[in-house]
Amino acid sequence: MADQTSGEAGGEVVRPRRGRPGHDQPAVLAAAIDLFNRKGYDATSIGDIAEALGVTKSAVYHHVASKEQLLAEALDEALVELEATVAHAVGADGSAYERLRGVVRRSVEVLVEHQPAVTLLLRVHGNSETERDALRRRRAIDTQLAALVRRATEEGALRGDLDPDLVSRLLFGMVNSLVEWFRSTGPVSPEQLAAAVAAISFEGLTAP
Amino acid sequence: MADQTSGEAGGEVVRPRRGRPGHDQPAVLAAAIDLFNRKGYDATSIGDIAEALGVTKSAVYHHVASKEQLLAEALDEALVELEATVAHAVGADGSAYERLRGVVRRSVEVLVEHQPAVTLLLRVHGNSETERDALRRRRAIDTQLAALVRRATEEGALRGDLDPDLVSRLLFGMVNSLVEWFRSTGPVSPEQLAAAVAAISFEGLTAP
């Protein structure tokens, strides 16, 4: 089924219609991500995605060439924002410590904003070239974050008795864990969550 | 294929044979957990488990009645140890703060000791009664841990500006995240890992 195209009727300009709900490309991608996360990528078919949207399979194929294209777009959605966040932290002015605190807080916000796509990214295990490409991009992000932790340690701003690579794993392990339980409709706002993650990891839980 | 049974031959006592490698119940369970984690539970068949062990399907069925039984045993392996760890922390003497620090460190060690089973547990989404039962047991553990965080906060030992439930989620989110990357064959020992998790979460990363 083709989208409605623009044209003229009775002298009046007819604007392009956006299509029925669940019938544009972002809706198809969102439905696919939801199913990939709930059922698993392998167990999800284009037919399942069509059914979830209440449209035909050919309506889905109007927007995407394949299931793997949806996976690639979903992983890209998560990675583009995370890469931009890390690139900003690496290139910004200021101490490594301040930039690390900033990237921790901003990462939390990106995870909340793109929670379904990031959930999918964090479950990828390299079963296809698309997944392996996403894992390579994740590793590049992790390497940059670990380097920033190392710089902040060398500055003397972070305690020196812990291995920077281990610190980076645990710090961003805490950040990533929130995709499993955080609900943006709950009592905690993304800003409060970001502040809590930074407070625990930098100042610690023990009362001053 | 039945296991060798004990008996007497030529006046000598023949001890029960343990079966060929990959042919006893723990080996079947370990192979199943590995496949469930790598391929997903739904995508794994008893035939896959038999193939991984180099035995016939009937040899696997000699040890287990069904794939779901293997899932239940795997989840139970993870849960029994975690439940014991938390029950010990709840019932022990001492301040809530000391017991919380203890349960954080011991949880890290349990996760490393039972890493494949815990990885499986953390990926369970409630798709069957077996999975929903495991999720109920996980929630009971989380509730006890959150109560311990609350007690430590009320004691004044933990900072008072963070919600105890949020703290508990993030603290054990950091702990749980290690199943995704920790390798016990690497340079960091489980004890060093446990100490690092406790140091980051209680004292924080910022240099004193």
Side-chain angles (χ1 to χ4, degrees), chain B residues 1-49:
Chain B
M1 300 183 209
D3 280 343
Q4 300 285 336
T5 50
S6 61
E8 292 196 347
E12 229 179 316
V13 175
V14 179
R15 312 283 280 293
R17 293 244 311 264
R18 295 206 56 221
R20 281 174 284 154
H23 207 181
D24 54 358
Q25 201 276 349
V28 171
L29 183 58
I33 294 173
D34 178 56
L35 283 164
F36 294 164
N37 282 334
R38 284 194 292 116
K39 296 183 58 165
Y41 176 74
D42 289 337
T44 301
S45 66
I46 291 284
D48 295 330
I49 296 165

Side-chain angles (χ1 to χ4, degrees), chain A residues 97 123 125 156-159 162 166-167 169-171 173-174 177 181 193 196-197 199-207, chain B residues 97 123 125 156-159 162 166-167 169-170 173-174 177 181 193 196-197 199-207:
Chain A
Y97 179 80
R123 291 184 188 164
H125 285 285
L158 296 190
R159 54 193 295 165
L162 298 173
L166 180 59
V167 165
R169 291 278 201 183
L170 291 170
L171 177 54
M174 186 198 285
S177 73
W181 57 266
L193 180 65
V197 170
I200 295 171
S201 49
F202 290 98
E203 276 81 58
L205 288 171
T206 306
Chain B
Y97 179 80
R123 292 184 186 163
H125 285 286
L158 296 190
R159 55 194 295 164
L162 297 174
L166 180 59
V167 165
R169 291 277 202 184
L170 290 169
M174 185 198 285
S177 73
W181 56 267
L193 181 66
V197 170
I200 295 171
S201 50
F202 289 98
E203 275 83 58
L205 288 171
T206 306

Side-chain angles (χ1 to χ4, degrees), chain A residues 87-157:
Chain A
H88 175 81
V90 168
D93 291 332
S95 68
Y97 179 80
E98 284 305 324
R99 289 181 287 137
L100 180 63
R101 275 195 91 113
V103 79
V104 166
R105 294 184 65 140
R106 181 66 194 132
S107 295
V108 171
E109 292 166 5
V110 169
L111 262 59
V112 171
E113 285 161 20
H114 299 274
Q115 193 165 356
V118 175
T119 301
L120 188 64
L121 174 65
L122 294 176
R123 291 184 188 164
V124 151
H125 285 285
N127 297 329
S128 65
E129 194 46 48
T130 298
E131 293 196 1
R132 285 188 288 276
D133 182 57
L135 287 181
R136 277 190 288 272
R137 290 169 70 183
R138 261 198 81 185
R139 274 197 295 273
I141 290 171
D142 289 344
T143 301
Q144 289 175 288
L145 291 171
L148 195 55
V149 171
R150 192 172 295 278
R151 291 275 287 281
T153 308
E154 287 164 358
E155 277 176 5

Side-chain angles (χ1 to χ4, degrees), chain B residues 184-200:
Chain B
S184 55
T185 51
V188 180
S189 73
E191 295 71 28
Q192 287 172 319
L193 181 66
V197 170
I200 295 171

Side-chain angles (χ1 to χ4, degrees), chain B residues 15-153:
Chain B
R15 312 283 280 293
R17 293 244 311 264
R18 295 206 56 221
R20 281 174 284 154
H23 207 181
D24 54 358
Q25 201 276 349
V28 171
L29 183 58
I33 294 173
D34 178 56
L35 283 164
F36 294 164
N37 282 334
R38 284 194 292 116
K39 296 183 58 165
Y41 176 74
D42 289 337
T44 301
S45 66
I46 291 284
D48 295 330
I49 296 165
E51 194 183 323
L53 292 165
V55 301
T56 63
K57 283 210 293 189
S58 60
V60 173
Y61 280 119
H62 178 73
H63 297 289
V64 293
S66 65
K67 190 172 78 155
E68 182 138 13
Q69 187 194 331
L70 285 167
L71 178 64
E73 287 177 6
L75 298 174
D76 197 60
E77 177 192 323
L79 284 160
V80 162
E81 283 280 357
L82 290 170
E83 285 165 344
T85 301
V86 173
H88 176 80
V90 168
D93 291 331
S95 68
Y97 179 80
E98 283 305 323
R99 289 180 287 139
L100 181 63
R101 274 195 92 114
V103 78
V104 166
R105 295 184 63 140
R106 180 67 195 132
S107 295
V108 170
E109 292 166 4
V110 169
L111 262 59
V112 171
E113 285 161 21
H114 299 273
Q115 194 166 356
V118 175
T119 301
L120 188 63
L121 174 66
L122 294 176
R123 292 184 186 163
V124 151
H125 285 286
N127 297 329
S128 65
E129 194 46 48
T130 297
E131 294 196 0
R132 284 189 288 277
D133 182 58
L135 287 182
R136 276 190 288 272
R137 291 170 69 183
R138 261 197 80 184
R139 274 197 295 275
I141 290 171
D142 289 345
T143 301
Q144 288 174 290
L145 291 171
L148 196 55
V149 171
R150 192 171 294 278
R151 291 275 287 280
T153 309

